[in-house]
Amino acid sequence: MEKDNRANFGSKLGIILATAGSAVGLGNIWRFPYMTGDNGGAAFIFVYIMCVFLLGIPCIVNEFIIGRYSASNTARAYRKLSNGTPWAIIGYIGVLTGFLVTSYYSVVSGWCLQYIYASAAGHLKGDPQFFASYFADFEKDPIKPVIWAVVILVITHLIIIRGVKEGIEKASKALMPALFVILIILVVSACMLPNAWEGIEFLFKPDFSKVSKDLFLGALGQAFFSLSIGMGCLCTFASYFTKDTDLTNSAVQISVIDTVVAILAGLLIFPAAFSIGVSPDSGPSLIFITLPNVFEQAFSSVPIIGYIVAISFYILLSLAALTSLISLHEVSTAFLHEEMNINRKTAATIVTVICSVIAALCSLSLSDWDAISIGGKPLFDILDYLTGQILLPVGGFLTCLFVGWYLPKKIVRDEYTNYGSMRGKFFNIYLSCVKYLCPTLILLIFLHQIGVI
Ligand code: PHE
């Protein structure tokens, strides 16, 4: 175990909320509900929960062990533990992935801010066609989305420069409860709509005939992304954990929070959509085209409620995005701060400026300036593909091999049991998952994502 004079989170609650804040993000709200609805409802939820337990929790614990043991940024953490062997590269992959994701995630987060503004200003009114063209025009605008991406990066920056305890922890303690409260209020409003029951039934009625290879691999991939595995975020946050943090318990709590939020998002989206007979899709078109229309129509008898629901929904999305961005930004900030020996503020400023530039390029690549594309694909899509489909699984896979096969078992066990102060009941199960099961599953996700199986 390393020195104690490094910044730490001040409380267990802070640890859980900050790390759950990283996990709870756009993935929970715009992808999980749709995947559930489209893949056999409760059957998918069941497979997903299995994936969280078998793959998610062991991979989270891996990153926690590496981060807390080395008490360093992700690159240095792996470097310290790899003793001059090429394993050190995994840490750099994590930092690079985190950095690249920060850039394009901030673009989508910026869209959420624009939609808070647009719904508050009463601009989101019209027929379904209107919502589609409103989003298309906004996305193609060369200026507005760039400004919003920079705004959310600057908000993230202002939190990061206050440090771990005063910045990240305090912000998470305020933002996460706000997120839960808004989510619950929205779920209750949606479930009170006429025909809401059909949406609830659609979400939860198990259809086991839909359980297929694709569903299984889709659930695995979703669990991976949703739990923020493989981007250096968990490792970096764990480097601020206290010595008495129960790593497995924390991993379980974070996974439960993340899954509950995802299911609640389904309980918001499906009842609302079914109440007006719209079938929800996924991704940006769900969030920025289908849902504004759904909110407007579903609450048309009391428009003020529709108005408040729409604003609250985009605030909810922005909070989820912001807490994830904080963890992503911190990966690069901690890296520059410790590796270049510059102070935290300067490191954060460099990250914010470079990410703003890449975010601007990403955003512009979706506008009519198709100059910012490679092989006909916009930079935005390339970064999404490169990080989500390639770097993430590669990083996660190598981490499993590193912890399962390379690290001395004593280090792994010591961290797992807090140096013998806990029994570590599940240690052997955890280690077997990390050695055999998780690498196999990740390899399968990877092959599936690149279209080989
Ligand atoms: N887990 C986040 C989501 O569900 C995405 C994310 C991945 C955030 C990795 C931070 C790091 O949207």
Side-chain angles (χ1 to χ4, degrees):
M1 222 176 326
E2 293 281 324
K3 57 194 182 295
D4 277 332
N5 57 359
R6 198 158 178 272
N8 269 338
F9 285 117
S11 66
K12 293 222 163 62
L13 183 68
I15 288 178
I16 298 296
L17 290 182
T19 319
S22 171
V24 171
L26 298 171
N28 300 58
I29 301 173
W30 86 14
R31 201 146 161 258
F32 179 87
Y34 170 78
M35 288 187 87
T36 307
D38 211 34
N39 285 296
F44 177 83
I45 297 183
F46 177 75
V47 174
Y48 181 80
I49 292 177
M50 254 174 49
C51 296
V52 165
F53 273 86
L54 293 177
L55 175 75
I57 294 176
C59 286
I60 296 178
V61 174
N62 283 346
E63 295 195 28
F64 281 179
I65 286 179
I66 294 167
R68 191 179 61 175
Y69 177 83
S70 46
S72 317
N73 70 79
T74 302
R76 188 177 295 181
Y78 281 85
R79 207 169 61 227
K80 266 184 189 170
L81 283 165
S82 57
N83 295 318
T85 58
W87 288 109
I89 192 142
I90 313 172
Y92 292 93
I93 295 179
V95 175
L96 176 69
T97 314
F99 172 73
L100 295 177
V101 175
T102 317
S103 305
Y104 83 80
Y105 205 85
S106 57
V107 174
V108 186
S109 312
W111 296 349
C112 302
L113 293 186
Q114 156 76 20
Y115 270 67
I116 299 182
Y117 161 74
S119 42
H123 295 166
L124 297 180
K125 279 198 195 100
D127 55 15
Q129 212 47 45
F130 162 81
F131 290 104
S133 59
Y134 182 91
F135 181 62
D137 291 347
F138 168 67
E139 196 189 31
K140 284 201 165 8
D141 191 305
I143 315 260
K144 274 194 224 155
V146 174
I147 294 177
W148 286 118
V150 174
V151 168
I152 195 132
L153 277 169
V154 169
I155 297 174
T156 311
H157 175 87
L158 294 175
I159 294 170
I160 291 282
I161 54 172
R162 290 171 171 265
V164 175
K165 218 179 266 178
E166 290 301 306
I168 300 174
E169 182 168 353
K170 265 201 178 153
S172 307
K173 280 183 169 164
L175 300 176
M176 289 303 282
L179 184 147
F180 291 128
V181 171
I182 297 176
L183 183 58
I184 305 270
I185 295 176
L186 288 177
V187 168
V188 172
S189 327
C191 288
M192 278 168 31
L193 287 167
N195 296 334
W197 183 247
E198 280 175 34
I200 301 175
E201 212 177 76
F202 178 71
L203 188 66
F204 287 124
K205 209 167 75 198
D207 176 359
F208 286 101
S209 68
K210 292 247 174 93
V211 177
S212 62
K213 182 190 78 192
D214 282 357
L215 177 150
F216 198 76
L217 295 172
L220 278 173
Q222 170 68 10
F224 215 73
F225 182 78
S226 189
L227 294 169
S228 306
I229 295 163
M231 304 218 190
C233 293
L234 301 172
C235 181
T236 306
F237 272 12
S239 72
Y240 308 127
F241 284 6
T242 45
K243 285 179 292 206
D244 60 349
T245 307
D246 180 338
L247 299 184
T248 314
N249 210 352
S250 306
V252 172
Q253 290 179 26
I254 290 154
S255 305
V256 169
I257 295 177
D258 190 62
T259 307
V260 168
V261 170
I263 295 174
L264 285 176
L267 277 177
L268 152 63
I269 289 166
F270 281 94
F274 271 68
S275 79
I276 59 154
V278 164
S279 80
D281 42 6
S282 77
S285 57
L286 168 69
I287 299 296
F288 300 111
I289 299 173
T290 311
L291 286 182
N293 176 34
V294 166
F295 294 144
E296 202 205 349
Q297 288 192 40
F299 296 97
S300 57
S301 54
V302 200
I304 182 76
I305 297 193
Y307 175 80
I308 295 171
V309 164
I311 300 175
S312 312
F313 177 74
Y314 290 108
I315 294 178
L316 168 78
L317 270 179
S318 305
L319 292 179
L322 178 62
T323 50
S324 291
L325 263 183
I326 292 172
S327 72
L328 285 162
H329 194 298
E330 179 62 22
V331 174
S332 306
T333 300
F335 171 77
L336 284 187
H337 169 49
E338 290 170 11
E339 297 301 300
M340 309 292 219
N341 248 330
I342 45 183
N343 69 43
R344 207 181 142 81
K345 224 175 182 165
T346 315
T349 308
I350 296 174
V351 174
T352 304
V353 170
I354 300 181
C355 283
S356 298
V357 173
I358 304 180
L361 295 176
C362 274
S363 182
L364 289 174
S365 75
L366 297 174
S367 73
D368 292 329
W369 295 20
D370 41 2
I372 312 166
S373 60
I374 304 171
K377 280 203 172 269
L379 180 67
F380 182 94
D381 293 357
I382 290 173
L383 287 187
D384 182 16
Y385 180 80
L386 179 69
T387 53
Q389 317 280 323
I390 313 274
L391 293 173
L392 250 169
V394 169
F397 176 75
L398 292 176
T399 301
C400 285
L401 299 185
F402 181 62
V403 175
W405 297 94
Y406 175 78
L407 277 190
K409 199 167 163 188
K410 180 172 174 356
I411 293 186
V412 181
R413 186 193 290 276
D414 281 351
E415 280 297 325
Y416 190 94
T417 60
N418 288 352
Y419 290 77
S421 67
M422 295 179 324
R423 268 184 51 224
K425 266 193 285 185
F426 299 112
F427 181 71
N428 288 331
I429 301 179
Y430 154 72
L431 205 60
S432 312
C433 282
V434 169
K435 275 182 140 160
Y436 308 103
L437 185 68
C438 297
T440 314
L441 292 178
I442 299 173
L443 195 64
L444 290 177
I445 307 178
F446 181 62
L447 294 177
H448 177 67
Q449 282 177 343
I450 59 171
V452 175
I453 56 169

